[in-house]
Amino acid sequence: MTIRLHAKGLTKTFTLHTQGGIVLPVFDDVELTVKAGECVCLHGPSGAGKSTLLRSLYANYKPDAGQILVKHLGQTVDLLAAEPWEVVEIRRSTIGYVSQFLRVIPRVGALDVVAEPAIANGMPVDEAKARARTLLTRLRIPERLWSLAPATFSGGEQQRVNIARGFIVDYPILLLDEPTASLDAANRATVVDLIDEAKIRGTAVVGIFHDKEVRNAVADRLFEVGKAAVPSSSGKSDLQMSAGAMVE
Amino acid sequence: MTASALRKPAPKPPLLEVSGLSKSYGTQVGCRDISFAVRPGEVLGIVGESGSGKSTLLACLSGRLQPDSGSISYDMKDRGPVDILTLSEHERRRLARTDWGIVHQNPRDGLRLDVSAGGNIGERPMALGARHYGDIRSDAQDWLKKVEIDLSRTDDKPRTFSGGMQQRLQIARNLVTRPRLVFMDEPTGGLDVSVQARLLDLLRGLVRELGVAAIIVTHDLAVVRLLADRLMVMQRGRVIEEGLTDQVLDDPHHPYTQLLVSSVLQV
């Protein structure tokens, strides 16, 4: 199967200049390959660096070293070496990202918030809004809320708007940061369906799923994310390398 | 997927390309050795505290201040890339009036306070040769609607408007001729927070709808988060960090940027 995303040699440390210049190593020499139609779950204890790795894959965080190779419009591009305008284009059409929290935009209604990424990616406005309506319906956002700005919505409702926004474009690569964290069982099941449908379309999914049921339902394998503090003699921390581990 | 297969898509040629720009006031540094490019439709944010040189930089770029050294190349519609510092005063003014927009922090600097709101919007189209009164007026009213000013105010003078309305009128006055590049100096400064949010949302919609490139100078990180694709952080006249807006704000590397980001109060 086609490899959609290949990260190699990824190393990330944070230097906190405002706190006495403390250096926090997060991960070192990480290699991760994700194929089309595959869902990889980033796994490890809280603070292990799962979110940092996921954000790095979106070029939201800047790793100190390594490459993130993605197929973008038929070409292989290194996300970390790409110019800012290129990253903007890659995010528009190739890599989607669902964060834990919706960054609300003042005065923009939920339906428009959801439709926006599709319109930016060239979908006709009517079609984008029709898709947004379908997604909001599936995620049980009552129609009377669609025209309202999500700032006043509950946490779970905001999260579902966020998920709809992430699934409106058929991205070849989709990154999910705890998409079901504040959802009830029915909505969790809908998110599992959405992920399954994306996988069938050939989307490569990388996610953090704390909920065991969701993880078992969608993940094809676990990718252990561990501490970078103890590199082995080969210079590689084998804690991170657990490529073939299967879901229990 | 190997590195040897790496090929980059061809970039859009820059609309504005600045290299080695410096300006000082006597021994006081305004800005030093600034280089960057803005592509069509791209929104660049410039942040930094007062005195960091961001306003000096903006004044040099928009032709209001002569830099000491460096070049500013602009891709003119009919001539291709031209160093605007070599243009005559007349040519530069014409460029500023037709292909550029300049939104001042204080709307009184960008509006004619003794001319009606409709007249303020009609001025640029008229300077470009529009003569039909009915067309100019209906165009102006279209823009009043876009910036959410009640049409009953078309013939009122902006001195009777609130600060937020004046700022929206200034934006309409600038965008009516569909410039390709807009310079904005603290566009939401001096406005109430609720008015700011409305203006930001409006600006965001217009910038996307029209596909104009913009350079926005501000000290407000929420403004750039919402509007800018790319960010430059300035301190003491220099650019100390730059990159994608979310990268710079979420994973700042330079000590000053970290301080700036960590100083924002969470609401």
Side-chain angles (χ1 to χ4, degrees):
Chain A
M1 266 206 280
T2 333
I3 290 170
R4 282 276 162 84
L5 182 142
H6 183 189
K8 50 186 176 186
L10 277 194
T11 301
K12 177 68 186 165
T13 54
F14 288 108
T15 307
L16 307 180
H17 294 287
T18 54
Q19 292 174 53
I22 300 169
V23 177
L24 297 174
V26 187
F27 47 76
D28 176 35
D29 201 17
V30 167
E31 174 151 12
L32 169 65
T33 305
V34 190
K35 296 186 191 114
E38 184 184 36
C39 176
V40 176
C41 171
L42 303 184
H43 196 249
S46 190
K50 301 183 294 292
S51 278
T52 301
L53 177 56
L54 198 69
R55 280 165 174 260
S56 297
L57 296 178
Y58 195 57
N60 175 230
Y61 284 178
K62 293 170 279 189
D64 312 315
Q67 284 186 314
I68 297 171
L69 303 177
V70 294
K71 272 263 189 289
H72 172 63
L73 307 177
Q75 293 191 327
T76 302
V77 184
D78 178 3
L79 196 58
L80 299 183
E83 298 281 328
W85 64 267
E86 248 179 306
V87 176
V88 170
E89 286 185 10
I90 292 168
R91 286 175 178 179
R92 187 158 49 223
S93 60
T94 299
I95 309 182
Y97 177 77
V98 177
S99 60
Q100 282 189 56
F101 301 102
L102 179 69
R103 197 172 278 285
V104 278
I105 307 157
R107 296 205 315 158
V108 180
L111 188 75
D112 291 329
V113 166
V114 173
E116 189 188 36
I119 295 167
N121 196 35
M123 190 183 284
V125 175
D126 290 349
E127 198 185 327
K129 292 205 171 176
R131 267 190 100 140
R133 280 191 282 271
T134 307
L135 280 164
L136 287 172
T137 305
R138 285 186 69 181
L139 287 158
R140 298 171 186 80
I141 299 287
E143 192 169 344
R144 63 190 157 79
L145 296 181
W146 293 359
S147 61
L148 304 178
T152 53
F153 291 11
S154 74
E157 283 164 347
Q158 289 196 11
Q159 176 66 333
R160 280 177 277 149
V161 169
N162 208 21
I163 290 165
R165 187 176 153 88
F167 278 89
I168 194 154
V169 173
D170 294 338
Y171 299 103
I173 300 167
L174 193 54
L175 310 174
L176 306 171
D177 192 352
E178 293 203 49
T180 57
S182 43
L183 303 187
D184 59 27
N187 284 307
R188 273 203 303 275
T190 304
V191 173
V192 167
D193 288 344
L194 287 170
I195 295 172
D196 279 337
E197 290 162 25
K199 285 168 66 182
I200 290 165
R201 282 195 304 269
T203 302
V205 183
V206 184
I208 299 169
F209 309 100
H210 278 304
D211 186 277
K212 198 171 161 189
E213 256 174 63
V214 173
R215 189 165 66 225
N216 287 344
V218 299
D220 295 299
R221 64 187 169 94
L222 299 181
F223 184 85
E224 292 294 333
V225 182
K227 281 277 172 220
V230 278
S232 66
S233 54
S234 67
K236 228 177 224 183
S237 165
D238 37 24
L239 283 170
Q240 296 138 6
M241 307 284 295
S242 161
M246 293 305 296
V247 185
E248 69 266 37
Chain B
M1 285 185 43
T2 57
S4 61
L6 285 183
R7 262 189 301 145
K8 292 199 163 199
K12 281 184 253 177
L15 189 60
L16 182 80
E17 195 160 18
V18 176
S19 71
L21 196 79
S22 295
K23 170 74 187 173
S24 35
Y25 307 94
T27 55
Q28 193 70 34
V29 173
C31 59
R32 178 170 293 171
D33 198 22
I34 310 284
S35 301
F36 66 91
V38 175
R39 295 190 156 67
E42 193 174 37
V43 180
L44 172 71
I46 303 177
V47 296
E49 59 199 2
S50 318
S52 61
K54 53 193 198 312
S55 293
T56 299
L57 175 61
L58 195 71
C60 289
L61 297 178
S62 56
R64 285 171 290 151
L65 201 60
Q66 185 74 24
D68 301 330
S69 58
S71 68
I72 305 170
S73 167
Y74 182 74
D75 187 5
M76 288 176 72
K77 263 182 185 157
D78 41 354
R79 294 166 60 178
V82 173
D83 187 345
I84 60 161
L85 299 175
T86 65
L87 293 178
S88 69
E89 184 60 32
H90 170 76
E91 287 173 310
R92 211 187 300 178
R93 266 206 208 143
R94 188 177 160 75
L95 179 66
R97 229 181 14 225
T98 57
D99 215 19
W100 289 358
I102 300 176
V103 176
H104 298 268
Q105 173 172 8
N106 187 338
R108 288 180 209 97
D109 296 335
L111 291 173
R112 290 188 193 273
L113 294 180
D114 46 1
V115 171
S116 71
N120 263 284
I121 300 178
E123 188 175 317
R124 279 171 67 128
M126 280 170 69
L128 291 179
R131 286 294 173 264
H132 188 279
Y133 176 79
D135 290 350
I136 296 169
R137 188 176 171 87
S138 75
D139 211 17
Q141 292 202 322
D142 273 353
W143 272 94
L144 286 174
K145 258 186 256 166
K146 272 193 186 141
V147 297
E148 302 167 9
I149 293 176
D150 198 284
L151 293 187
S152 67
R153 306 299 299 268
T154 309
D155 298 314
D156 292 349
K157 293 184 174 145
R159 65 172 80 254
T160 65
F161 288 8
S162 69
M165 278 170 72
Q166 287 181 349
Q167 195 56 296
R168 296 202 299 278
L169 181 62
Q170 193 192 184
I171 287 163
R173 173 180 159 89
N174 271 282
L175 294 183
V176 62
T177 52
R178 308 246 162 182
R180 287 190 299 159
L181 178 61
V182 180
F183 300 96
M184 298 188 207
D185 189 1
E186 301 278 8
T188 59
L191 299 178
D192 289 341
V193 179
S194 61
V195 180
Q196 273 185 20
R198 182 177 184 188
L199 186 76
L200 274 177
D201 172 47
L202 184 79
L203 270 177
R204 186 172 166 277
L206 289 174
V207 163
R208 299 202 173 186
E209 185 191 320
L210 304 176
V212 295
I215 298 179
I216 302 171
V217 160
T218 178
H219 65 275
D220 189 336
L221 299 182
V223 169
V224 288
R225 168 82 79 176
L226 211 56
L227 292 178
D229 302 311
R230 210 149 54 81
L231 197 57
M232 297 201 310
V233 183
M234 290 187 71
Q235 184 193 28
R236 292 193 212 104
R238 291 180 185 278
V239 173
I240 50 146
E241 186 159 359
E242 62 184 308
L244 281 170
T245 301
D246 64 290
Q247 256 180 10
V248 175
L249 295 181
D250 294 339
D251 186 15
H253 281 210
H254 192 280
Y256 176 69
T257 317
Q258 290 190 355
L259 182 68
L260 209 61
V261 171
S262 66
S263 306
V264 177
L265 295 174
Q266 301 284 329
V267 186

